[in-house]
Amino acid sequence: MYNIITRRIMAQRVCAYQLARMFSSTPNIPELMEKFKPLITDKLVHETGVSCVLKLSDSSWTLDLRDEGTIKEGSDDTADITLDMNNDVFFGLIDGSTTTAAAYMSGQLKLEGNIMQAMKLSSLFKNMQGVISEEAK
């Protein structure tokens, strides 16, 4: 069993975060969101100017990059866009194994609102990948 896992890891070049996901049944989304809060800078709010609700499998999160520059649990009815996806798609976006465009085109990511505003969030997802890769070191 160990050799099979070792070969699989070597073949796919799985990062430490993906390895943890393979052995963990329920990743802790609130803990991840806490780690992502420092990514919401005044510069990002100024450049993005979008409020987004992430509807995940078992929770909803509001990313306010329009007014307050916050990440908080729950939905905000005044958000500009809503991204609806399961937890695995979200983890794929933040670990770099998929992109927002690929998830959207494959139907794994559903969008309510302006697609151009949603595209502005790609820089935030890239920054989230940086946090995950730093954590893996």
Side-chain angles (χ1 to χ4, degrees), residues 2 5 20 25 28 34 36 45 50 52 80-81 86-90 93 106 110 113-115 127:
Y2 176 77
I5 292 172
S25 59
N28 190 341
E34 280 299 317
F36 296 150
V45 171
V50 175
C52 171
D80 300 317
I81 58 174
N86 67 36
N87 290 354
D88 289 335
V89 174
F90 177 68
L93 290 174
S106 67
K110 293 170 183 56
N114 186 324
I115 194 166
N127 291 344

Side-chain angles (χ1 to χ4, degrees), residues 1-129:
M1 174 82 170
Y2 176 77
N3 289 336
I4 294 170
I5 292 172
T6 303
R7 275 187 257 138
R8 182 176 176 195
I9 291 169
M10 297 294 277
Q12 295 181 357
R13 297 181 183 197
V14 177
C15 75
Y17 180 71
Q18 291 169 321
L19 178 63
R21 280 185 41 213
M22 285 176 13
F23 293 106
S24 171
S25 59
T26 55
N28 190 341
I29 291 176
E31 187 179 296
L32 281 174
M33 292 299 184
E34 280 299 317
K35 291 178 182 171
F36 296 150
K37 284 183 179 180
L39 298 176
I40 310 298
T41 62
D42 290 339
K43 180 181 177 189
L44 183 67
V45 171
H46 178 71
E47 290 173 354
T48 309
V50 175
S51 180
C52 171
V53 171
L54 293 178
K55 286 187 179 178
L56 305 176
S57 301
D58 53 1
S59 62
S60 293
W61 294 84
T62 300
L63 309 177
D64 185 353
L65 305 176
R66 179 183 57 201
D67 301 318
E68 301 172 22
T70 59
I71 298 177
K72 53 188 168 188
E73 192 165 8
S75 286
D76 182 356
D77 294 336
T78 65
D80 300 317
I81 58 174
T82 300
L83 299 176
D84 190 354
M85 68 193 98
N86 67 36
N87 290 354
D88 289 335
V89 174
F90 177 68
F91 290 121
L93 290 174
I94 63 173
D95 72 12
S97 61
T98 192
T99 64
T100 51
Y104 177 75
M105 294 302 223
S106 67
Q108 296 174 324
L109 171 66
K110 293 170 183 56
L111 167 70
E112 294 175 26
N114 186 324
I115 194 166
M116 295 310 289
Q117 287 182 318
M119 296 306 286
K120 292 179 182 180
L121 295 175
S122 62
S123 64
L124 177 62
F125 288 124
K126 282 187 177 32
N127 291 344
M128 289 176 172
Q129 289 172 19

